[in-house]
Amino acid sequence: MKKLIYILILLLLFNCKSEKKEIFQEYNGQLIKVEFDDSKTDSTFSGYGGEHYPNGNLKSLSLFKNGEPIDTLFYYYENGMIKEKGLVKNGLQDGWWTYFRENGTLKEKIEWKPKGNDTIYKNQSLVFDNNGKLKMEPSTYFELEIPDTIVFGKNIAFIKNYVSNFKNVDERFLSVIIENKYADNIIKKDTFSDGTLKPFFGIFGLKTGKQIVKGQIEEKILQTEKINKDSSSLTIIDHYKYFEKEVFVSDNEEISEKSKKIIEDYFKSKENN
């Protein structure tokens, strides 16, 4: 699903009337001046730019460098209210984008992830009603319990909550696949599943300092469909959601003891259940 974001902006920006236009607008909390000047070219333009409606109101706005947006890209309704906003990378949405209704109320938040060189993937989606309350039925998202600080060696984390894209299925299973680094040149994909919809997964702390925890949640959906009185078919769908988080690896003994206690308590609770 390729969505070219800024090409149309630049085409309209540099093909407007030769008359130079200036608009003052709030951008990420500060008042900035937006200039529209067709003497600039799309490959060299740096500064605040965008396109505007016939009434003079902004239609889009971003900070550009060498013709590409390098900060938040805003789209506006003709009445001046924000329509959507988020970051752009390689001409595509990147990370969390926020979408609004024409009256200014929050409509949806979507996390976009790259998929290949020219497509993006809707990783998570939070849908809100007119009163700003989260609507569970169309939303699809997850919450992870990953400590901000981990220790050398083995650490444990959890899926705290998982809201699926797929409703009313017969069975579903969740697994977590983590890219664990055990040495500078050894990275393994470890898979964790405990038969529940809130499985634990292991994170390996390699050395003191910042570390990126990177992985994916695999959802396996089993759906049976009755063909006739005596037979049915089984459909298996594998669906993935991706995550990464920056953590700090510590050699603090007190933190290490707390981590061990969390792991012990978790497995004790599993035995009791």
Side-chain angles (χ1 to χ4, degrees):
M1 178 181 56
K2 182 173 182 179
K3 185 177 180 183
L4 296 176
I5 293 180
Y6 61 86
I7 291 179
L8 289 177
I9 297 175
L10 293 171
L11 287 175
L12 290 171
L13 173 60
F14 303 114
N15 286 282
C16 58
K17 296 179 181 178
S18 60
E19 176 186 357
K20 185 175 179 178
K21 297 179 182 292
E22 293 183 353
I23 294 178
F24 290 88
Q25 176 74 22
E26 182 178 332
Y27 181 84
N28 286 342
Q30 69 178 92
L31 191 66
I32 54 96
K33 181 172 70 174
V34 189
E35 294 186 359
F36 296 91
D37 187 349
D38 64 359
S39 66
K40 301 181 177 71
T41 61
D42 60 351
S43 61
T44 63
F45 173 69
S46 294
Y48 294 102
E51 57 179 310
H52 54 85
Y53 290 103
N55 66 5
N57 287 343
L58 279 170
K59 189 173 185 180
S60 62
L61 171 65
S62 186
L63 177 61
F64 287 79
K65 183 177 181 180
N66 297 327
E68 295 189 7
I70 59 171
D71 203 340
T72 309
L73 173 60
F74 289 82
Y75 285 107
Y76 300 90
Y77 290 103
E78 196 164 359
N79 65 5
M81 301 297 290
I82 297 174
K83 184 176 183 180
E84 56 188 79
K85 64 177 183 177
L87 296 176
V88 173
K89 187 175 182 180
N90 299 324
L92 302 170
Q93 300 107 312
D94 183 55
W96 282 99
W97 272 62
T98 308
Y99 301 81
F100 300 89
R101 297 181 181 86
E102 200 164 355
N103 63 4
T105 59
L106 179 61
K107 180 181 179 182
E108 188 174 7
K109 291 183 178 181
I110 297 177
E111 183 190 28
W112 296 102
K113 290 281 190 181
K115 187 178 182 181
N117 295 325
D118 58 358
T119 59
I120 51 177
Y121 178 84
K122 185 189 285 189
N123 198 45
Q124 301 186 73
S125 173
L126 305 173
V127 182
F128 301 86
D129 64 19
N130 292 326
N131 297 315
K133 185 178 179 181
L134 181 65
K135 297 170 67 175
M136 297 296 293
E137 180 60 32
S139 296
T140 170
Y141 63 94
F142 56 88
E143 297 174 279
L144 303 179
E145 193 70 51
I146 300 176
D148 294 325
T149 302
I150 63 175
V151 298
F152 286 118
K154 296 178 181 179
N155 296 265
I156 195 168
F158 314 88
I159 292 182
K160 188 177 179 181
N161 192 18
Y162 185 92
V163 179
S164 174
N165 298 62
F166 302 88
K167 317 298 180 184
N168 303 317
V169 300
D170 293 335
E171 287 187 87
R172 74 175 82 243
F173 303 95
L174 293 184
S175 300
V176 180
I177 304 167
I178 292 286
E179 296 180 16
N180 272 321
K181 191 172 184 179
Y182 293 98
D184 289 337
N185 59 347
I186 300 177
I187 299 177
K188 294 175 64 177
K189 287 189 175 182
D190 295 326
T191 302
F192 300 86
S193 181
D194 59 8
T196 73
L197 296 179
K198 296 181 180 181
F200 77 93
F201 53 97
I203 301 169
F204 189 82
L206 179 60
K207 53 187 175 181
T208 302
K210 293 180 180 179
Q211 178 175 311
I212 300 297
V213 176
K214 188 176 181 181
Q216 55 188 302
I217 303 172
E218 180 188 66
E219 180 184 18
K220 192 174 290 291
I221 296 100
L222 279 65
Q223 186 69 56
T224 57
E225 182 179 351
K226 192 170 184 179
I227 298 175
N228 52 48
K229 189 169 75 172
D230 300 318
S231 62
S232 60
S233 64
L234 174 65
T235 302
I236 301 176
I237 301 172
D238 290 329
H239 182 73
Y240 295 90
K241 295 188 182 296
Y242 303 87
F243 64 88
E244 60 180 73
K245 178 182 177 178
E246 184 179 271
V247 300
F248 185 82
V249 182
S250 171
D251 58 1
N252 187 297
E253 292 184 6
E254 184 178 344
I255 294 175
S256 181
E257 289 301 317
K258 287 182 179 178
S259 179
K260 290 178 183 177
K261 182 72 164 55
I262 291 172
I263 295 174
E264 290 173 0
D265 290 344
Y266 175 81
F267 285 108
K268 283 181 181 177
S269 67
K270 285 290 184 183
E271 290 174 2
N272 294 333
N273 291 335

